[in-house]
Amino acid sequence: VTEKFSHAAPELSFNFGTANGWSFLSAGLGPVRILGDKRFDTTSLNAGGGARWFTSNHLAIAFDIRLHKLAAIKEFPQTMLVSASVGVSVK
């Protein structure tokens, strides 16, 4: 079974650290679309954290781990998902 999870939400973020690297905690609320055998539109409360470290003046490595609590709808039960991302940032 393959499903596609799409989510966009404004977030409130608290950052800890310096300009060379920092950790953060954040949370947000927004719409979710899940596409698979059927399409489900619901909302998600998400919370998580991560860090970003600059390896040079202009390049950083970043990661984020986030919990998504999806609201129940008629044919879709309340669900908890975990997402993780790793990437680079340019300053």
Side-chain angles (χ1 to χ4, degrees):
V1 175
T2 300
E3 294 181 334
K4 182 178 177 183
F5 173 82
S6 302
H7 173 58
E11 293 186 350
L12 181 60
S13 180
F14 296 99
N15 300 319
F16 311 94
T18 68
N20 293 325
W22 60 88
S23 301
F24 60 90
L25 298 173
S26 61
L29 177 68
V32 170
R33 175 167 291 159
I34 299 172
L35 295 173
D37 294 338
K38 295 183 179 181
R39 174 180 154 177
F40 300 102
D41 293 309
T42 185
T43 58
S44 170
L45 173 63
N46 73 79
R52 180 173 293 139
W53 296 281
F54 279 88
T55 58
S56 69
N57 288 337
H58 301 289
L59 186 66
I61 297 171
F63 76 89
D64 182 271
I65 297 175
R66 189 153 305 279
L67 297 172
H68 299 270
K69 183 176 181 183
L70 306 181
I73 56 175
K74 185 177 179 182
E75 295 180 13
F76 190 83
Q78 179 177 314
T79 304
M80 182 74 76
L81 299 174
V82 177
S83 66
S85 63
V86 176
V88 295
S89 298
V90 179
K91 176 167 75 169

